[in-house]
Amino acid sequence: MLTEDELIESLWEKKIRLNKRVLTDWRRRHYLPQLKSKGLGRGQGKFYFWADGDVIGRVALVDELLSEGFTGTRINMVLWLLGYDVPLYLIRERLQTGLERFERVLTGGKRGAGEIEDQIGQFASDYFSIAKRLKQHYPELQLPTDGSQEELE
């Protein structure tokens, strides 16, 4: 069990300067797990703590991600990819947003099946044109071919 005060003290020893307000904000953003509580007896209040002993490592990771310029659901995605519990709706939203952006780039905003096919065909043509030029300058590169008999030469 680890309380907020114990966590903050431990972080200060590691030269990570945080306070309770930051930890509260990070819990709200799902960067950290919620605190668990245990009653101290009738009328005595509650004791709040993290049951997970790895919360120190998670805090250090979030602090590092923030210092590297990561924000919002990008941090949640990294945490999830590293095996931490993160609400799945955040991951779903992040993935859906990324796929929608990719779709807009790939289709050029076009909606008709023929238009989309033409757009993707143009992307493929552009790729192979660039790949041929790269192959001339960097013959050691192993680039995929367009499936025709003609190799990138």
Side-chain angles (χ1 to χ4, degrees), residues 52-121:
D52 180 10
D54 193 31
V55 74
I56 295 172
R58 188 166 174 165
V59 168
L61 175 60
V62 170
D63 185 61
E64 182 65 26
L65 290 169
L66 286 166
S67 71
E68 291 294 322
F70 284 68
T71 59
T73 56
R74 288 181 67 201
I75 292 175
N76 298 111
M77 183 65 95
V78 171
L79 291 168
W80 181 70
L81 289 170
L82 293 174
Y84 290 102
D85 287 334
V86 176
L88 290 181
Y89 77 89
L90 292 171
I91 304 307
R92 191 176 313 115
E93 287 173 8
R94 181 70 185 174
L95 291 173
Q96 186 172 357
T97 300
L99 288 172
E100 287 168 354
R101 284 183 189 151
F102 178 71
E103 177 191 32
R104 281 193 302 275
V105 168
L106 188 62
T107 63
K110 299 188 171 65
R111 292 288 174 214
E115 292 175 316
I116 291 172
E117 186 177 322
D118 291 344
Q119 181 73 16
I120 293 172

Side-chain angles (χ1 to χ4, degrees), residues 115-131:
E115 292 175 316
I116 291 172
E117 186 177 322
D118 291 344
Q119 181 73 16
I120 293 172
Q122 186 61 49
F123 267 117
S125 176
D126 292 347
Y127 164 79
F128 289 112
S129 173
I130 292 167

Side-chain angles (χ1 to χ4, degrees), residues 36-52:
K36 300 203 182 294
S37 66
K38 182 176 181 178
L40 297 174
R42 180 174 240 158
Q44 300 297 312
K46 290 186 176 184
F47 171 71
Y48 294 93
F49 62 95
W50 281 286
D52 180 10

